[in-house]
Amino acid sequence: MSLQLLLGGAGTGKTRLLLERLIDSSERHPDRRHVILVPEQFTMETQREVVALHPRHAVMNIDILSFERLAYRVLGEAGRGDLQILTEMGKNMLLRKAAGEHREELKVFGRSLGKAGFISRLMTMISELDQYGVTEEKLEETAEHLADRPLLAGKLRDLRIFYQALNETRGENAIAAEELLSVLNGCLESSGFLRNAVVVLDGFTGFTPVQYEILEIMFRQAKSVSLALTLPQEEAGEPEARPEELFYLSKSTLAHCRRLAAENGITVETECLTKNLRIREDSALGYLERHFLRLGERETPPES
């Protein structure tokens, strides 16, 4: 089991190199599962690129998935295919029902229930809580530690009421789309879907806490995991990243993945690509790419 980190600036060929290596592995090990994980909006584009690069122009034993599609595959194999995903309209209706039934209990939000757009903003907030693994218990625990900020504590308790009412109303087999990864996290450990697989992750700048939990299981189960991050070589060796830095998200993701690997005894290999395949270094665009929003010594820009 190993974690391979492929770093480099934009245009250095990280995606192509990862795909070529994965395709080569899929040809040499046809009985092994190969998985490419990308953001949902890149799945079709990645499928097209894999088909173009593959010597037989087919995906064969390669699965191209997003985290959400991975969840559906694993849950289907685990016999959880009966789960119903709540639509935005469904969540809206359940929250309105909860607001009517618990109006008297709401200390802060009670006066805002009739305002236009309140339920939509509340729905967005609950979606954020689901994505970051914040439970009813965490909301109540946090509220108890905010005795010096009664307004914020009141809002958190009102959120907990909505959260609890939503969970009780929708039934056992209905979940919000944002909870899908939490359900996956509970099933992935016992699933054999990623066991001894070759996994590639591309197109991500960062992950949510729930996604990091899935990555940790993936590190332990997969034969190898390769992660591409947009991070130039000169930035990769720097210590703790600061929020104002240009590559803050990539640096934070790199540090978090290395920490997870160390905690689980996973070998980490790092490779940096430096040659830009899209832009000539001696061009004006190449100069801009190297110095835009970066401090430090300045070289003389090329003549246009």
Side-chain angles (χ1 to χ4, degrees):
M1 298 179 185
S2 65
L3 171 62
Q4 297 155 5
L5 299 168
L6 186 60
L7 312 179
T12 51
K14 299 182 298 298
T15 296
R16 187 181 183 95
L17 181 59
L18 279 182
L19 295 183
E20 287 176 345
R21 288 176 177 175
L22 186 86
I23 291 170
D24 178 64
S25 175
S26 71
E27 289 280 276
R28 289 185 290 106
H29 306 284
D31 56 335
R32 180 174 293 161
R33 173 169 277 151
H34 293 73
V35 179
I36 303 173
L37 270 180
V38 293
E40 181 69 36
Q41 65 270 25
F42 295 143
T43 51
M44 292 297 292
E45 178 183 337
T46 306
Q47 287 177 6
R48 186 169 60 248
E49 192 165 357
V50 170
V51 170
L53 290 173
H54 201 287
R56 286 184 278 176
H57 302 294
V59 292
M60 305 301 288
N61 57 334
I62 301 174
D63 292 301
I64 300 155
L65 307 167
S66 62
F67 273 100
E68 291 75 17
R69 296 189 188 195
L70 172 65
Y72 285 119
R73 290 286 297 274
V74 172
L75 294 176
E77 291 186 2
R80 300 292 305 276
D82 59 337
L83 286 176
Q84 297 178 345
I85 308 300
L86 283 174
T87 63
E88 294 295 301
M89 181 61 72
K91 285 177 62 177
N92 194 304
M93 294 173 66
L94 289 178
L95 284 174
R96 289 185 184 278
K97 182 176 184 293
E101 293 175 348
H102 298 273
R103 181 182 294 270
E104 299 301 322
E105 302 173 43
L106 301 172
K107 306 301 183 185
V108 180
F109 292 153
R111 65 180 73 96
S112 302
L113 293 178
K115 292 183 179 179
F118 173 76
I119 294 296
S120 295
R121 289 196 293 273
L122 181 64
M123 190 163 58
T124 300
M125 175 61 71
I126 290 178
S127 296
E128 290 284 332
L129 295 176
D130 285 333
Q131 291 179 49
Y132 283 84
V134 179
T135 62
E136 301 171 33
E137 292 74 19
K138 287 182 180 179
L139 286 173
E140 184 61 35
E141 182 182 341
T142 305
E144 289 175 357
H145 288 85
L146 292 172
D148 57 332
R149 302 178 67 181
L151 181 59
L152 178 56
K155 289 180 178 180
L156 292 177
R157 288 195 170 98
D158 283 2
L159 267 176
R160 183 184 183 278
I161 291 172
F162 276 110
Y163 214 165
Q164 185 177 23
L166 184 62
N167 289 336
E168 292 174 350
T169 306
R170 64 190 178 190
E172 295 181 359
N173 290 329
I175 62 171
E178 296 79 18
E179 295 177 279
L180 192 59
L181 296 188
S182 296
V183 178
L184 168 64
N185 191 22
C187 295
L188 192 58
E189 193 75 67
S190 58
S191 169
F193 187 84
L194 292 177
R195 207 169 299 280
N196 204 37
V198 176
V199 183
V200 162
L201 295 103
D202 188 35
F204 296 98
T205 54
F207 303 96
T208 65
V210 176
Q211 289 174 334
Y212 275 121
E213 291 175 4
I214 294 170
L215 284 181
E216 186 172 6
I217 298 173
M218 191 181 297
F219 291 168
R220 294 197 300 265
Q221 289 189 344
K223 177 73 174 176
S224 68
V225 178
S226 299
L227 170 63
L229 289 172
T230 301
L231 187 62
Q233 185 176 22
E234 62 271 17
E235 304 274 356
E238 291 190 4
E240 193 71 23
R242 298 183 299 276
E244 68 273 12
E245 292 183 13
L246 181 60
F247 295 100
Y248 170 72
L249 287 176
S250 294
K251 285 184 179 181
S252 299
T253 302
L254 178 65
H256 201 139
C257 287
R258 281 175 170 166
R259 185 163 59 251
L260 286 180
E263 291 171 356
N264 290 276
I266 306 298
T267 304
V268 179
E269 302 171 6
T270 304
E271 181 179 357
C272 292
L273 303 182
T274 57
K275 182 175 177 57
N276 198 309
L277 305 177
R278 290 188 204 152
I279 307 169
R280 289 197 346 262
E281 290 190 10
D282 59 350
S283 66
L285 189 57
Y287 177 87
L288 181 64
E289 191 271 337
R290 291 192 300 278
H291 295 287
F292 182 65
L293 295 179
R294 302 190 208 183
L295 301 175
E297 294 185 8
R298 289 286 185 266
E299 60 189 79
T300 304
E303 297 182 2
S304 56

